[in-house]
Amino acid sequence: MQEQYLKEWMTFIHHKRFSISTYQSYSSSVEWFLKRAGDNPKDLTYHQIRTILLEVKEKNTCNAIITAIRQFYLHIFNRELDYRQLPYTKKQRKVQPIYSNEEAIKI
């Protein structure tokens, strides 16, 4: 069953004429997800999807997979995933140092 979903997905993104890198990213992300999703990915709950995504360590990779999964569910299962239930991971921002007047002059 998963092979059929993957085949439909590959056909869909091929017809959308995505760039090669987007095509490769979306296909590998959905393939990775489907391997972990079990026999019926169509009926997964948000909690189950989030549990699968916990395996991903890199934030940028996780966000790329989330984007691909959202598109996959929308176009293959006609199910729009609520972005509030499946949010992107936040990137950590570096806090800029605050210098005293003397330190700023030295720089």
Side-chain angles (χ1 to χ4, degrees):
M1 187 87 143
Q2 291 177 348
E3 289 177 17
Q4 177 190 350
Y5 293 141
L6 191 57
K7 196 180 236 182
E8 285 179 46
W9 175 244
M10 302 288 247
T11 302
F12 170 77
I13 60 177
H14 176 73
H15 289 297
K16 291 295 269 183
R17 297 183 183 211
F18 288 125
S19 70
I20 293 172
S21 61
T22 302
Y23 179 86
Q24 290 171 340
S25 175
Y26 275 22
S27 6
S28 64
S29 294
V30 169
E31 185 175 12
W32 176 88
F33 177 76
L34 288 175
K35 284 180 184 176
R36 288 152 180 81
D39 292 334
N40 201 356
K42 186 176 187 176
D43 296 329
L44 290 178
T45 64
Y46 286 110
H47 177 73
Q48 291 169 317
I49 294 171
R50 286 191 301 266
T51 302
I52 292 169
L53 290 171
L54 286 175
E55 293 180 32
V56 182
K57 302 296 182 211
E58 293 292 321
K59 290 181 181 178
N60 288 341
T61 304
C62 188
N63 287 340
I65 293 171
I66 289 171
T67 300
I69 291 170
R70 285 180 179 170
Q71 292 297 314
F72 174 76
Y73 270 80
L74 180 62
H75 297 290
I76 302 303
F77 298 142
N78 294 320
R79 175 182 166 194
E80 188 169 354
L81 296 178
D82 185 356
Y83 68 92
R84 291 169 296 197
Q85 294 291 328
L86 198 59
Y88 291 115
T89 56
K90 291 187 177 182
K91 295 179 184 177
Q92 226 175 5
R93 296 184 183 191
K94 293 182 181 179
V95 177
Q96 296 295 324
I98 300 173
Y99 298 108
S100 67
N101 288 340
E102 294 82 27
E103 291 172 323
I105 292 171
K106 289 178 184 177
I107 296 176

